[in-house]
Each structure stands twice: as structure tokens, then as C-alpha cells.
Amino acid sequence: MKKILLMGNPNVGKSVFFNRLTGANVIESNYPGTTVDYTKGYMKGNSEDFEIIDVPGTFSLEAKDKAEEVAVKMLEEEKGALIICVIDASKIERGLYLCLEIIEKGYSVVMALNMWDVAEDKNVQIDIEKLKNILNIPVVPTVAISGKGFKEVVLSLKKAASVEVKEIMEKVGEIK
Amino acid sequence: MEKKLSEMNYEEEGRVGSIEQDLKNKVAGMGIRVGKNLKMITKHPLSGPIVVEVDGAHTSLALSIADRITVEVKK
């Protein structure tokens, strides 16, 4: 069974995401560090089933504490896994940092710009088409607590592919 | 004027001037890098952590870490 890892900064909604995808009921609370160990669940896709792993939040792949160590270790152990990189759209820069680190390691990534509603409230504007174009991975705006964007996330899983960082750098260069 | 991040006052804004080398990667994932604009939000008592705003998001840092970052403060 294909594995999917949910990765992202602490407190971006990975566990809410996990519950939505698997129908499980993992504890969610609105402060960082709620998930210090991982949780596994299963999801039925259109053509295949997936094992989904809710990974503790981490700011980077250089672990600073126990929860981050778990996250980094899990990523290393699951070389062939798909990654859904969950980002708090209202704090997009930090999320992109981690996401780029994961892409750099060669994983196939789908980016979920979660808390899209919060970003809109804060008047944070994100050009999704441009992001998709630069990163060459699926980028989907989501609101995990209401379920917005989930269908698209699941549908875009088969479009996830590993991308060379060099290619991304070249595109970023063009923008400048 | 340059000062330590830990010495910034409430509401004071500045730009990150330098970060000690071994700390750079640690704080980069939290959005703190040389050249970034910061605003001091809270300093907790009893040598507790500080909270700064960077790119519209709040992030907290241990005082011992804030001691090793310098900021060019806006007048």
C-alpha cells in the first residue's frame, strides 16, 4: 500500500487534515506540539488505498527537539512515500522553507495551503498558479476544519512528482 | 543602532543584522534570517522567551537564542 506522510510546521492543522482524510478522531487542539508521536490511518482512494501517517510538526529537517526528531526520522525511513506538505497559508514563508527541504530530498510532494480562510482574513494574497508553475507540484488551497479543497488534494495525489531543486532555482531566477 | 534581539523593547522594529553561525539553520525554518524585518511583541518575565513578529506571523524564541542574534533597530 502506498504511504502518505502529512508533514508541516507545528500548528498548521495536520491532525485535522488526517482526521478528514481517514475519518479517524485524533485529538486536535489549537496550540503547537499536540502531536509528538505519529498516528497511522487508512484512506480509500479512487483506484487504490493509502496508508496515511500524521507526522509531528517540524520547522525544518534539522531536528531541535524530540517531536522534530520523530518527524525527521519518519521521513528518512519512508523513502518511497508521497508527502502532503501542509502549510499555514497565512504564514506561508515558514512552510515553504520546510516544503523546499522535503522537495530537495527527492520526495514527491503535494502542497496544501491550509487555513486559506485565515489567510484571506489577514489579506494575505497568494498566486497559486505561479507557485504551481515554479515548483511544478500540485498546490491546493484548503480549509481543513470545513473540508474545503480535500477532493482536489486527493485527486492531485497522482500528479505528485519529485522535482529537481535546480529546475525550481532556474524558474525563480527568471522571476527576478 | 545595532543591539541584541534580546535587548529590543516592546513594539520596537528592526532588521536582522547577524546570527551566530551555528544558530543560522536552527532559526531559518522559523523565518528568521539575516535581512528580515522583525517587531518585538512580548518579553516574558523571569528570563522567559521573547515573541517577535516576522512576515506577519508570531514566533517565540528562547532568550538565550535571542542573545545571539543582533538587530539593526529602526529609529
Side-chain angles (χ1 to χ4, degrees):
Chain A
M1 203 185 305
K2 192 100 182 150
K3 283 184 183 168
I4 299 175
L5 263 55
L6 290 174
M7 297 205 59
N9 291 169
N11 205 27
V12 297
K14 290 178 296 301
S15 298
V16 189
F17 227 87
F18 177 81
N19 289 352
R20 279 258 164 219
L21 291 173
T22 62
N25 194 18
V26 167
I27 294 171
E28 309 148 359
S29 48
N30 182 28
Y31 44 86
T34 310
T35 312
V36 288
D37 207 343
Y38 66 93
T39 321
K40 261 188 209 175
Y42 299 91
M43 177 185 80
K44 277 209 181 305
N46 288 333
S47 48
E48 57 178 326
D49 293 352
F50 296 97
E51 179 178 322
I52 302 192
I53 303 170
D54 184 17
V55 180
T58 182
F59 283 112
S60 71
L61 295 183
E62 195 175 299
K64 294 190 289 289
D65 56 45
K66 268 275 180 309
E68 293 200 351
E69 263 173 41
V70 173
V72 175
K73 210 172 138 223
M74 294 200 67
L75 184 70
E76 278 167 3
E77 281 170 3
E78 306 291 351
K79 283 285 180 220
L82 276 175
I83 314 292
I84 298 180
C85 203
V86 187
I87 289 180
D88 176 346
S90 70
K91 304 174 183 177
I92 184 168
E93 207 221 28
R94 286 190 216 175
L96 282 175
Y97 184 90
L98 175 68
C99 193
L100 280 170
E101 279 192 317
I102 296 169
I103 291 173
E104 199 169 18
K105 296 249 179 210
Y107 290 89
S108 298
V109 177
V110 170
M111 187 186 285
L113 292 174
N114 199 31
M115 300 201 194
W116 189 255
D117 52 336
V118 178
E120 277 180 337
D121 288 347
K122 283 192 181 173
N123 214 3
V124 174
Q125 283 158 14
I126 300 166
D127 189 335
I128 293 180
E129 289 309 314
K130 210 170 193 174
L131 255 183
K132 274 188 200 166
N133 197 350
I134 294 171
L135 299 172
N136 213 6
I137 60 170
V139 180
V140 186
T142 61
V143 182
I145 50 168
S146 73
K148 181 186 175 288
F150 275 72
K151 211 168 177 182
E152 213 187 323
V153 170
V154 175
L155 288 174
S156 63
L157 286 172
K158 52 178 178 291
K159 280 186 270 173
S162 89
V163 185
E164 286 287 325
V165 168
K166 213 171 68 192
E167 289 171 29
I168 295 173
M169 293 299 290
E170 277 165 12
K171 286 195 190 136
V172 173
E174 281 169 26
I175 292 167
K176 277 179 185 171
Chain B
M1 187 187 62
E2 189 167 276
K3 58 162 96 170
K4 285 181 186 172
L5 175 54
S6 54
E7 290 166 346
M8 278 172 86
N9 297 314
Y10 291 106
E11 299 284 304
E12 201 166 36
E13 292 179 42
R15 182 192 283 261
V16 178
S18 69
I19 303 171
E20 284 185 26
Q21 193 57 37
D22 60 318
L23 205 62
K24 274 188 177 160
N25 285 334
K26 260 188 179 172
V27 293
M30 302 168 99
I32 296 172
R33 295 194 285 280
V34 172
K36 279 274 173 190
N37 290 314
L38 296 177
K39 185 177 172 188
M40 176 63 76
I41 304 295
T42 317
K43 294 164 103 169
H44 288 285
L46 303 171
S47 302
I50 58 135
V51 180
V52 289
E53 185 179 298
V54 52
D55 290 320
H58 289 185
T59 195
S60 54
L61 291 170
L63 196 66
S64 58
I65 287 189
D67 260 338
R68 298 163 60 199
I69 298 171
T70 67
V71 178
E72 187 62 38
V73 178
K74 287 178 192 158
K75 51 189 178 313

